[in-house]
Amino acid sequence: MKVAIAGAGAVGRSIARELIAAGHEVTLFERLASHIDVDAVQGATWLLADACELANLERAGLQSYDVMIAATGDDKANLVVSLLAKTEFAVSRVVARVNDPRNEWLFGEDWGVDVAVSTPRLLASLVEEAVSVGDLVRLMTFRQGQANLVELTLPPDTPLAGKPVRKIDLPRDAALVAIIRGGRVIVPERDDPLEGGDELVFVAAVDVEPALHAAMHVN
Protein backbone atom coordinates (compact mmCIF):
# COMPACT_ATOMS: atom_id res chain seq x y z
CA MET A 1 0.00 0.00 0.00
CA LYS A 2 0.89 3.65 -0.34
CA VAL A 3 0.51 5.27 3.06
CA ALA A 4 0.76 8.95 3.96
CA ILE A 5 1.42 9.93 7.57
CA ALA A 6 0.84 13.45 8.84
CA GLY A 7 3.14 14.18 11.75
CA ALA A 8 6.66 12.80 12.12
CA GLY A 9 6.89 12.87 15.88
CA ALA A 10 7.58 9.76 17.94
CA VAL A 11 4.17 8.27 17.07
CA GLY A 12 4.36 8.98 13.36
CA ARG A 13 7.90 7.66 13.06
CA SER A 14 7.03 4.47 14.94
CA ILE A 15 4.05 3.81 12.67
CA ALA A 16 6.19 4.48 9.61
CA ARG A 17 8.88 2.02 10.66
CA GLU A 18 6.31 -0.72 11.25
CA LEU A 19 4.68 -0.16 7.86
CA ILE A 20 7.99 -0.05 5.99
CA ALA A 21 9.05 -3.29 7.69
CA ALA A 22 5.82 -4.82 6.38
CA GLY A 23 6.70 -3.78 2.83
CA HIS A 24 4.50 -0.71 2.41
CA GLU A 25 5.45 2.59 0.76
CA VAL A 26 5.38 5.43 3.29
CA THR A 27 5.47 9.21 2.98
CA LEU A 28 5.87 11.37 6.09
CA PHE A 29 4.54 14.94 6.19
CA GLU A 30 6.19 17.17 8.79
CA ARG A 31 5.78 20.94 9.07
CA LEU A 32 8.73 21.52 11.41
CA ALA A 33 12.21 21.25 9.92
CA SER A 34 13.62 20.35 13.34
CA HIS A 35 11.54 17.15 13.31
CA ILE A 36 12.90 15.95 9.97
CA ASP A 37 15.24 13.02 10.65
CA VAL A 38 15.73 10.89 7.56
CA ASP A 39 17.98 8.43 9.39
CA ALA A 40 15.25 7.77 12.00
CA VAL A 41 12.96 6.19 9.40
CA GLN A 42 15.02 4.79 6.59
CA GLY A 43 13.11 3.95 3.45
CA ALA A 44 10.41 6.60 3.94
CA THR A 45 9.83 9.63 1.76
CA TRP A 46 10.05 12.81 3.85
CA LEU A 47 8.19 15.99 2.98
CA LEU A 48 8.74 19.28 4.81
CA ALA A 49 5.14 20.38 4.46
CA ASP A 50 2.03 21.10 6.50
CA ALA A 51 -0.50 18.35 5.73
CA CYS A 52 -3.30 20.76 6.68
CA GLU A 53 -2.58 22.76 3.53
CA LEU A 54 -4.51 21.58 0.48
CA ALA A 55 -1.76 22.68 -1.91
CA ASN A 56 0.82 20.50 -0.16
CA LEU A 57 -1.39 17.44 -0.43
CA GLU A 58 -2.00 18.17 -4.10
CA ARG A 59 1.75 18.41 -4.77
CA ALA A 60 2.24 15.06 -3.05
CA GLY A 61 -0.46 13.47 -5.23
CA LEU A 62 -2.47 12.28 -2.26
CA GLN A 63 -5.19 10.91 -4.55
CA SER A 64 -2.81 8.06 -5.41
CA TYR A 65 -2.51 6.91 -1.78
CA ASP A 66 -4.44 4.06 -0.19
CA VAL A 67 -4.28 5.26 3.41
CA MET A 68 -3.88 8.56 5.24
CA ILE A 69 -2.85 8.46 8.90
CA ALA A 70 -3.32 11.69 10.83
CA ALA A 71 -0.84 11.20 13.68
CA THR A 72 0.01 14.69 14.89
CA GLY A 73 -0.21 15.72 18.53
CA ASP A 74 -2.95 18.24 17.70
CA ASP A 75 -6.52 16.98 17.41
CA LYS A 76 -7.60 19.99 15.33
CA ALA A 77 -4.86 19.29 12.81
CA ASN A 78 -5.74 15.60 12.67
CA LEU A 79 -9.37 16.43 11.92
CA VAL A 80 -8.44 18.84 9.14
CA VAL A 81 -6.04 16.33 7.58
CA SER A 82 -8.69 13.61 7.73
CA LEU A 83 -11.37 15.78 6.15
CA LEU A 84 -9.10 16.90 3.31
CA ALA A 85 -7.90 13.36 2.62
CA LYS A 86 -11.42 11.98 2.41
CA THR A 87 -13.33 14.79 0.70
CA GLU A 88 -10.70 16.30 -1.61
CA PHE A 89 -8.65 13.23 -2.51
CA ALA A 90 -11.04 10.32 -1.88
CA VAL A 91 -8.47 8.37 0.13
CA SER A 92 -10.19 5.07 0.85
CA ARG A 93 -8.93 4.61 4.41
CA VAL A 94 -8.36 7.43 6.89
CA VAL A 95 -7.02 6.67 10.35
CA ALA A 96 -6.76 9.45 12.94
CA ARG A 97 -5.05 9.73 16.29
CA VAL A 98 -7.16 11.11 19.16
CA ASN A 99 -4.96 12.93 21.67
CA ASP A 100 -7.66 14.18 24.03
CA PRO A 101 -10.40 11.61 24.80
CA ARG A 102 -12.87 14.47 25.24
CA ASN A 103 -12.60 15.08 21.47
CA GLU A 104 -13.26 11.48 20.48
CA TRP A 105 -16.88 12.18 19.52
CA LEU A 106 -15.66 14.43 16.68
CA PHE A 107 -13.61 11.71 14.99
CA GLY A 108 -16.24 10.19 12.74
CA GLU A 109 -17.76 10.27 9.29
CA ASP A 110 -18.46 14.01 9.32
CA TRP A 111 -14.72 14.65 9.51
CA GLY A 112 -13.73 11.88 7.10
CA VAL A 113 -12.37 9.50 9.75
CA ASP A 114 -12.78 5.76 9.18
CA VAL A 115 -10.92 4.61 12.29
CA ALA A 116 -10.15 6.74 15.35
CA VAL A 117 -7.40 5.54 17.67
CA SER A 118 -7.48 6.85 21.23
CA THR A 119 -4.54 5.68 23.33
CA PRO A 120 -6.37 6.12 26.67
CA ARG A 121 -9.39 4.23 25.35
CA LEU A 122 -7.19 1.47 23.93
CA LEU A 123 -5.26 1.08 27.17
CA ALA A 124 -8.48 0.96 29.17
CA SER A 125 -9.85 -1.73 26.83
CA LEU A 126 -6.70 -3.81 27.19
CA VAL A 127 -6.87 -3.60 30.98
CA GLU A 128 -10.55 -4.55 30.91
CA GLU A 129 -9.83 -7.42 28.53
CA ALA A 130 -7.13 -8.73 30.86
CA VAL A 131 -9.44 -8.96 33.87
CA SER A 132 -12.88 -9.65 32.36
CA VAL A 133 -14.28 -13.14 31.89
CA GLY A 134 -17.64 -13.68 30.24
CA ASP A 135 -18.18 -10.03 29.28
CA LEU A 136 -17.84 -8.38 25.89
CA VAL A 137 -14.91 -5.97 25.79
CA ARG A 138 -14.81 -3.44 22.96
CA LEU A 139 -11.28 -3.25 21.55
CA MET A 140 -11.70 -1.05 18.50
CA THR A 141 -14.38 0.76 16.51
CA PHE A 142 -14.64 0.56 12.72
CA ARG A 143 -16.55 2.61 10.17
CA GLN A 144 -17.67 5.53 12.32
CA GLY A 145 -18.94 3.32 15.10
CA GLN A 146 -21.14 1.04 12.99
CA ALA A 147 -19.07 -2.04 13.85
CA ASN A 148 -16.66 -2.99 16.61
CA LEU A 149 -13.89 -5.45 17.27
CA VAL A 150 -14.92 -7.11 20.52
CA GLU A 151 -13.44 -9.82 22.74
CA LEU A 152 -15.03 -12.31 25.11
CA THR A 153 -13.18 -14.78 27.33
CA LEU A 154 -15.14 -17.96 28.01
CA PRO A 155 -15.26 -18.98 31.68
CA PRO A 156 -13.74 -22.36 32.59
CA ASP A 157 -17.21 -23.85 33.16
CA THR A 158 -18.76 -22.49 29.96
CA PRO A 159 -21.66 -24.60 28.62
CA LEU A 160 -20.19 -24.08 25.17
CA ALA A 161 -17.12 -26.23 25.92
CA GLY A 162 -16.81 -29.00 23.36
CA LYS A 163 -19.32 -27.47 20.97
CA PRO A 164 -18.10 -26.84 17.40
CA VAL A 165 -18.13 -23.32 16.02
CA ARG A 166 -20.96 -24.22 13.63
CA LYS A 167 -23.26 -24.93 16.60
CA ILE A 168 -22.98 -21.38 17.96
CA ASP A 169 -26.10 -19.41 17.11
CA LEU A 170 -24.47 -16.06 16.39
CA PRO A 171 -26.70 -13.10 15.54
CA ARG A 172 -26.68 -11.64 12.06
CA ASP A 173 -23.94 -9.03 11.56
CA ALA A 174 -21.59 -10.75 14.00
CA ALA A 175 -18.64 -12.91 12.96
CA LEU A 176 -16.11 -14.93 14.95
CA VAL A 177 -12.73 -14.04 13.45
CA ALA A 178 -10.21 -15.60 15.85
CA ILE A 179 -9.84 -17.93 18.82
CA ILE A 180 -6.88 -17.27 21.11
CA ARG A 181 -5.97 -20.37 23.07
CA GLY A 182 -2.79 -20.91 25.09
CA GLY A 183 -0.79 -18.41 23.09
CA ARG A 184 -2.06 -19.74 19.75
CA VAL A 185 -4.18 -17.77 17.32
CA ILE A 186 -6.69 -20.06 15.65
CA VAL A 187 -8.63 -19.08 12.55
CA PRO A 188 -11.93 -20.79 13.36
CA GLU A 189 -13.26 -23.54 11.12
CA ARG A 190 -16.82 -24.85 11.32
CA ASP A 191 -15.85 -28.02 13.20
CA ASP A 192 -13.36 -26.47 15.65
CA PRO A 193 -14.57 -27.04 19.24
CA LEU A 194 -14.58 -24.30 21.85
CA GLU A 195 -12.85 -24.67 25.22
CA GLY A 196 -13.14 -22.96 28.58
CA GLY A 197 -10.67 -20.09 28.78
CA ASP A 198 -10.77 -19.40 25.04
CA GLU A 199 -10.50 -15.74 24.09
CA LEU A 200 -12.96 -15.17 21.24
CA VAL A 201 -12.55 -12.18 18.94
CA PHE A 202 -15.58 -10.98 16.98
CA VAL A 203 -16.42 -8.25 14.51
CA ALA A 204 -19.96 -7.16 15.30
CA ALA A 205 -22.40 -4.38 14.53
CA VAL A 206 -23.08 -2.21 17.56
CA ASP A 207 -26.77 -3.07 17.78
CA VAL A 208 -26.18 -6.84 17.91
CA GLU A 209 -23.70 -6.81 20.80
CA PRO A 210 -26.39 -7.66 23.42
CA ALA A 211 -27.57 -10.60 21.31
CA LEU A 212 -23.96 -11.74 20.81
CA HIS A 213 -23.38 -11.64 24.57
CA ALA A 214 -26.53 -13.68 25.13
CA ALA A 215 -25.51 -16.22 22.46
CA MET A 216 -22.23 -16.90 24.26
CA HIS A 217 -24.03 -17.70 27.55
CA VAL A 218 -26.62 -20.24 26.35
CA ASN A 219 -27.03 -23.55 28.14
Side-chain angles (χ1 to χ4, degrees):
M1 295 184 297
K2 288 185 68 176
V3 182
I5 300 175
V11 173
R13 292 196 302 269
S14 296
I15 295 169
R17 283 191 289 266
E18 292 288 338
L19 291 170
I20 290 169
H24 302 297
E25 182 181 339
V26 175
T27 297
L28 282 161
F29 289 81
E30 176 52 55
R31 65 183 184 86
L32 299 176
S34 59
H35 287 182
I36 299 290
D37 186 356
V38 177
D39 292 333
V41 188
Q42 297 183 4
T45 299
W46 288 77
L47 296 178
L48 179 58
D50 187 346
C52 291
E53 297 290 337
L54 181 62
N56 292 334
L57 300 178
E58 288 177 338
R59 280 193 289 271
L62 193 66
Q63 67 277 2
S64 66
Y65 283 74
D66 302 295
V67 181
M68 165 58 86
I69 301 174
T72 79
D74 185 331
D75 284 345
K76 294 188 295 294
N78 289 342
L79 288 170
V80 170
V81 169
S82 299
L83 186 63
L84 290 175
K86 183 65 71 175
T87 60
E88 299 295 330
F89 300 95
V91 176
S92 60
R93 192 71 164 169
V94 177
V95 180
R97 172 189 177 189
V98 183
N99 296 279
D100 186 340
R102 292 174 296 181
N103 297 329
E104 192 170 0
W105 65 276
L106 288 166
F107 286 74
E109 183 178 6
D110 289 345
W111 282 92
V113 178
D114 293 310
V115 178
V117 180
S118 169
T119 300
R121 170 67 65 83
L122 181 58
L123 289 174
S125 296
L126 291 174
V127 170
E128 190 179 359
E129 184 270 337
V131 300
S132 298
V133 174
D135 293 326
L136 283 181
V137 178
R138 188 173 296 174
L139 300 177
M140 185 174 290
T141 297
F142 302 108
R143 292 294 176 189
Q144 303 88 43
Q146 297 175 28
N148 295 312
L149 185 70
V150 297
E151 185 270 352
L152 182 144
T153 300
L154 293 176
D157 59 349
T158 176
L160 296 175
K163 289 189 177 182
V165 169
R166 59 184 167 80
K167 291 286 189 178
I168 304 173
D169 187 20
L170 294 179
R172 186 176 180 180
D173 297 330
L176 176 63
V177 295
I179 301 171
I180 303 172
R181 179 184 298 156
R184 296 175 56 216
V185 177
I186 302 168
V187 178
E189 301 287 345
R190 284 174 47 83
D191 293 326
D192 288 338
L194 298 179
E195 296 181 7
D198 282 351
E199 295 180 52
L200 308 180
V201 182
F202 301 88
V203 174
V206 175
D207 57 356
V208 304
E209 287 183 10
L212 173 60
H213 185 267
M216 302 312 298
H217 291 80
V218 297
N219 292 318

